[in-house]
Amino acid sequence: AQSVTQLGSHVSVSEGALVLLRCNYSSSVPPYLFWYVQYPNQGLQLLLKYTSAATLVKGINGFEAEFKKSETSFHLTKPSAHMSDAAEYFCAVSKTGSEKLVFGKGTKLTVNP
Amino acid sequence: DAGITQSPRHKVTETGTPVTLRCHQTENHRYMYWYRQDPGHGLRLIHYSYGVKDTDKGEVSDGYSVSRSKTEDFLLTLESATSSQTSVYFCAISESSKSEQFFGPGTRLTVL
């Protein structure tokens, strides 16, 4: 069975600092991997997705993630945090595409002025 | 934004009563999904549909049923609500099994 582990339920950074949100997955086959963002009282919005085309994936709002098969990781980064990045971030995995996504428990990002 | 609406947006009900949540889309997407979101659990798939009258169970389907009689509507029914079903419910749609899911605004359900 697939699973996703997000290390750190809460991450706090200063405005302008590097953002690093960690995601490790387990999958018996090459997976599809996703990062979603949820702003308060809203639904989820796709940030980026990995579908085996390239290991470094660029998404919206300056975020990117690198697929590392040897480490079974798909960590999300942004070079410089902005106050508007404060939200909850979810990593998700699927064997077949977006169908039957398995989500991590989420990481809440706080950006301090 | 993808054309997805959920109704009601908020509902308070009592244990043992039936509850139906509705998801409506204007995108003509084939796939529709129901998730529940609980603190510390992320999102968990309840049921999904891959076409009219075609549905399948997700990770946490016990106590829930779904129906899809037309492309645009996907109903989630709690036959007899329990306090453990207090949650925020999200509907999502996707054009195919390989394309991204778009999420609705959510329904906050409280079962007393």
Side-chain angles (χ1 to χ4, degrees):
Chain A
Q2 303 163 91
S3 66
V4 175
T5 301
Q6 291 185 239
L7 296 175
S9 58
H10 289 83
V11 170
S12 182
V13 301
S14 299
E15 193 173 19
L18 171 72
V19 175
L20 171 60
L21 304 182
R22 299 178 188 272
C23 172
N24 289 89
Y25 68 91
S26 68
S27 177
S28 57
V29 298
Y32 292 76
L33 292 158
F34 305 80
W35 275 100
Y36 281 85
V37 60
Q38 184 180 32
Y39 299 102
N41 299 313
Q42 294 187 25
L44 277 70
Q45 179 185 1
L46 183 69
L47 271 179
L48 50 82
K49 63 181 178 183
Y50 167 77
T51 57
S52 77
T55 57
L56 184 62
V57 182
K58 294 188 183 299
I60 63 171
N61 301 339
F63 284 93
E64 62 182 35
E66 186 173 7
F67 173 69
K68 291 187 176 180
K69 185 178 179 181
S70 60
E71 298 177 9
T72 60
S73 69
F74 190 57
H75 301 332
L76 181 71
T77 60
K78 182 174 180 178
S80 177
H82 192 272
M83 297 296 289
S84 61
D85 295 326
E88 190 159 18
Y89 292 80
F90 294 92
C91 182
V93 65
S94 172
K95 282 194 298 187
T96 58
S98 66
E99 186 183 1
K100 287 197 172 182
L101 281 179
V102 175
F103 284 85
K105 295 182 178 181
T107 297
K108 186 164 286 188
L109 176 67
T110 301
V111 182
N112 302 306
Chain B
D1 289 347
I4 311 170
T5 56
Q6 294 185 231
S7 58
R9 294 293 313 281
H10 300 271
K11 185 169 183 68
V12 179
T13 191
E14 294 190 349
T15 297
T17 60
V19 175
T20 295
L21 308 182
R22 179 181 183 235
C23 177
H24 179 78
Q25 60 145 330
T26 57
E27 305 296 321
N28 200 37
H29 282 357
R30 179 181 172 193
Y31 284 75
M32 298 185 77
Y33 310 81
W34 276 109
Y35 292 90
R36 60 177 289 173
Q37 183 178 28
D38 304 289
H41 288 276
L43 275 80
R44 292 177 291 176
L45 182 65
I46 304 171
H47 284 279
Y48 71 101
S49 169
Y50 48 96
V52 174
K53 298 193 189 304
D54 293 322
T55 65
D56 200 357
K57 295 180 179 180
E59 180 186 354
V60 290
S61 59
D62 287 349
Y64 302 94
S65 62
V66 290
S67 65
R68 192 168 178 201
S69 59
K70 43 186 179 177
T71 300
E72 57 265 37
D73 289 325
F74 193 32
L75 304 181
L76 177 71
T77 297
L78 291 65
E79 300 290 347
S80 177
T82 67
S83 58
S84 64
Q85 293 176 311
T86 292
S87 186
V88 180
Y89 291 85
F90 286 98
C91 173
I93 64 173
S94 66
E95 196 168 10
S96 74
S97 63
K98 299 283 190 277
S99 54
E100 74 169 279
Q101 292 186 21
F102 296 94
F103 284 79
T107 293
R108 185 173 295 275
L109 175 67
T110 302
V111 183
L112 301 175

